[in-house]
Amino acid sequence: MELPRQYNENRLVLMIQEPAVIFSYWELSRGQWESLGEGCSLFLRLYSLGSTPGGTILREVSLPPFTNDWYFRDLLPEHVYQAEIGYYGLNGEFYPLLRSNRVLTPRVRKVEGMVRSLKVEKVIRDDKKENALQDRGNDAAFWETYSSLLLQNKS
């Protein structure tokens, strides 16, 4: 059984990816697209909800054609966000079509435990010689480390 590409619904959803990143996706029904007409440009707005009634517009994106998702990056942790999709009328007024759910970005906190890192200083590639790295022996500039460090509680 194959999943449908669309569900013919009008919906806009926000999802937290990280404390500073929100992913949004949406779908407009066929009827909604037909009512907009050809050539209508859609805009995605991100609001920070706080003390201002209705929130403050943080970002507004002119959506490229055939786009159905967007990432908002460099956001503040511990803030409430909401989005709208809409268009501008001939008079320059914004007309919202869809409003998303509200999301609260999590706070950033220190994590105690194991830290692991992978470090690559330089990769040498020699397309002419297949075994270029092996031929260089221990002097090869390609190296990596994988180490663990137990962090101490410093609070």
Side-chain angles (χ1 to χ4, degrees), residues 18-88:
E18 297 176 10
V21 179
I22 293 176
F23 174 70
S24 62
Y25 70 92
W26 59 87
E27 179 183 351
L28 292 176
S29 68
R30 182 178 304 195
Q32 185 68 61
W33 278 113
E34 290 171 358
S35 69
L36 289 173
E38 287 188 38
C40 182
S41 297
L42 293 179
F43 292 84
L44 176 63
R45 285 182 168 183
L46 182 67
Y47 294 89
S48 173
L49 304 178
S51 58
T52 309
T56 304
I57 300 172
L58 287 182
R59 309 227 175 108
E60 183 175 89
V61 179
S62 176
L63 296 173
F66 309 109
T67 304
N68 62 357
D69 59 49
W70 198 265
Y71 282 91
F72 291 103
R73 300 180 191 284
D74 301 322
L75 300 174
L76 295 174
E78 296 186 81
H79 275 69
V80 178
Y81 296 97
Q82 189 170 30
E84 281 184 333
I85 286 184
Y87 65 97
Y88 283 95

Side-chain angles (χ1 to χ4, degrees), residues 106-139:
R107 67 185 162 131
V108 178
R109 61 184 176 152
K110 294 181 183 179
V111 177
E112 295 178 24
M114 303 296 281
V115 174
R116 295 188 178 169
S117 64
L118 177 65
K119 183 176 183 180
V120 177
E121 284 241 327
K122 189 188 289 185
V123 176
I124 297 174
R125 289 192 178 172
D126 188 349
D127 295 333
K128 295 178 185 174
K129 196 168 185 183
E130 190 174 322
N131 297 321
L133 288 177
Q134 285 100 1
D135 291 346
R136 288 181 183 15
N138 291 337
D139 294 332

Side-chain angles (χ1 to χ4, degrees), residues 112-116 147-154:
E112 295 178 24
M114 303 296 281
V115 174
R116 295 188 178 169
S147 63
S148 296
L149 172 67
L150 184 59
L151 297 177
Q152 301 296 323
N153 184 359
K154 296 185 179 184

